């Protein structure tokens, strides 16, 4: 057993006993960590109020060598996640960042750049930025850093350049855009507008902030939200808890803009 220090984001808190909780943390140094916080449920306990969903903390914990839970020994609050008053969209977006980190990463698999991206996204949400594009950027960066970035320039299947067109087929199973040849006979295809393809290319570029200058019309956001919901569901193999809270269309009772085409389309 060794004692370790880390910067951590609180992803999940589950009651363990009258006084203790099991906390899921995403640390910059060690990746995702699940630890027992003894006394974590007591208001004047050893962690004071640091164990708050999405709070950024400095922690000390004892790493267990086996599959046993690590033991949290100290947590000092650095920053709470407090979105602007009344902004449910920013709150849901924060919860979704936590869900992405919890579900897409493995225990003890460090991704310091992903930690930094999450920290940046939460800061922007806290500062009142439009949650839609902030999440899109975080999702594309997370997919890139975890090796799941869809092919956005060349055909995901054969590698040929995908010709520019008003609408381009995106294969959920193939993992990206498809050329006209490879599109034939494929299922699980989403038809994307050229605006969404361009937006995704900018969002996926780690060395550019050009995505921030896009107009981000509602139609583009709705279409991209629909695609990412489907792509991530396909990738993860199950539905995401927060997706239904993110759709712009749901709030107005309409369906997402992108539609899944069947083989007959
Ligand atoms: Zn192809």
């Amino acid at each position: 057993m060794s004692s370790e220090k880390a910067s951590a984001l609180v992803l999940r808190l589950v009651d363990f006993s009258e006084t203790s909780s099991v906390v899921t943390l995403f640390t910059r140094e060690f990746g995702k960590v699940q630890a027992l916080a003894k006394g974590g449920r007591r208001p004047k306990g050893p962690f004071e109020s640091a164990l708050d969903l999405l709070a950024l903390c400095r922690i000390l914990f004892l790493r267990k060598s086996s599959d046993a839970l690590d033991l949290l020994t100290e947590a000092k609050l650095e920053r709470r996640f407090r979105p602007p008053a009344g902004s449910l969209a920013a709150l849901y977006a924060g919860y979704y960042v936590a869900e992405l980190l919890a579900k897409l990463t493995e225990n003890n698999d460090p991704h310091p750049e992903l930690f930094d991206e999450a920290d940046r996204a939460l800061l922007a949400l806290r500062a009142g930025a439009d949650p839609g594009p902030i999440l899109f950027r975080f999702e594309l960066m997370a997919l890139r850093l975890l090796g799941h970035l869809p092919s956005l320039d060349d055909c995901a299947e054969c590698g040929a350049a995908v010709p520019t067109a008003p609408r381009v087929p995106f294969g959920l199973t193939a993992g990206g855009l498809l050329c006209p040849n490879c599109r034939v006979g494929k299922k699980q295809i989403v038809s994307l507008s050229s605006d969404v393809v361009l937006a995704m290319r900018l969002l996926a570029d780690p060395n550019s902030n050009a995505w921030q200058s896009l107009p981000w019309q509602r139609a583009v956001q709705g279409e991209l939200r629909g695609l990412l919901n489907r792509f991530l569901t396909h990738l993860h193999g199950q539905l995401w808890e927060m997706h239904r809270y993110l759709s712009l269309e749901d709030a107005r009772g309409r369906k997402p803009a992108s539609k899944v085409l069947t083989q007959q389309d």
Side-chain angles (χ1 to χ4, degrees):
M1 221 161 45
S2 56
S3 182
E4 307 281 8
K5 276 183 203 176
S7 292
L9 290 166
V10 179
L11 302 185
R12 199 155 183 255
L13 287 160
V14 177
D15 295 346
F16 181 77
S17 70
E18 292 268 304
T19 55
S20 301
S21 29
V22 172
V23 54
T24 304
L25 301 151
F26 188 67
T27 69
R28 192 172 194 284
E29 294 80 356
F30 306 96
K32 192 169 66 183
V33 163
Q34 278 165 314
L36 181 64
K38 285 186 182 165
R41 298 190 62 198
R42 284 201 304 260
K44 304 259 179 213
F47 310 108
E48 294 162 27
S49 53
L51 298 183
D52 188 29
L53 196 60
L54 291 167
L56 174 69
C57 313
R58 283 295 297 168
I59 61 163
L60 274 177
F61 69 109
L62 293 172
R63 291 189 94 183
K64 299 288 179 78
S65 47
S66 65
D67 284 344
L69 286 171
D70 294 332
L71 188 65
L72 194 66
T73 51
E74 194 181 302
K76 287 216 164 89
L77 181 70
E78 296 215 329
R79 192 181 71 226
R80 240 179 243 292
F81 178 65
R82 287 283 179 266
S87 177
L88 266 184
L91 187 67
Y92 291 154
Y95 292 165
Y96 182 49
V97 168
E99 189 181 14
L100 284 163
L101 291 172
K103 290 186 172 165
L104 290 180
T105 67
E106 303 292 330
N107 286 347
N108 306 311
D109 180 21
H111 287 283
E113 289 171 88
L114 182 57
F115 180 93
D116 295 342
E117 290 291 341
D119 192 40
R120 253 196 292 280
L122 293 173
L123 266 178
L125 291 171
R126 200 174 181 257
D130 182 357
I134 297 297
L135 283 185
F136 296 146
R137 171 68 163 187
F138 178 67
E139 288 169 292
L140 269 291
M141 286 295 108
L143 289 170
R144 171 182 285 284
L145 291 165
L146 297 170
H148 301 303
L149 187 68
S151 181
L152 299 172
D153 292 300
D154 300 330
C155 173
E157 199 80 12
C158 74
V162 174
T164 309
R167 298 203 75 87
V168 182
F170 181 104
L172 294 175
T173 309
L177 302 185
L178 292 170
C179 74
N181 286 341
C182 295
R183 190 251 175 273
V184 178
K186 291 275 183 331
K187 294 180 181 174
Q188 298 286 328
I189 300 284
V190 180
S191 165
L192 295 183
S193 68
S194 52
D195 283 349
V196 165
V197 173
L198 171 69
M200 285 180 86
R201 285 178 183 153
L202 295 180
L203 289 162
D205 181 353
N207 303 313
S208 161
N209 283 322
W211 61 277
Q212 291 174 335
S213 315
L214 289 173
W216 290 116
Q217 300 100 325
R218 278 183 87 82
V220 170
Q221 291 204 37
E223 195 184 338
L224 183 50
R225 188 69 264 148
L227 172 74
L228 287 173
N229 287 2
R230 289 195 172 94
F231 182 69
L232 284 157
T233 299
H234 195 83
L235 184 71
H236 182 52
Q238 48 184 288
L239 294 174
W240 293 70
E241 283 167 42
M242 292 312 298
H243 275 168
R244 65 194 156 122
Y245 297 102
L246 303 179
S247 169
L248 302 167
E249 281 68 32
D250 283 352
R252 298 210 248 150
R254 287 183 305 160
K255 288 184 178 161
S258 68
K259 64 172 191 156
V260 170
L261 303 176
T262 65
Q263 204 170 346
Q264 288 76 38
D265 284 314

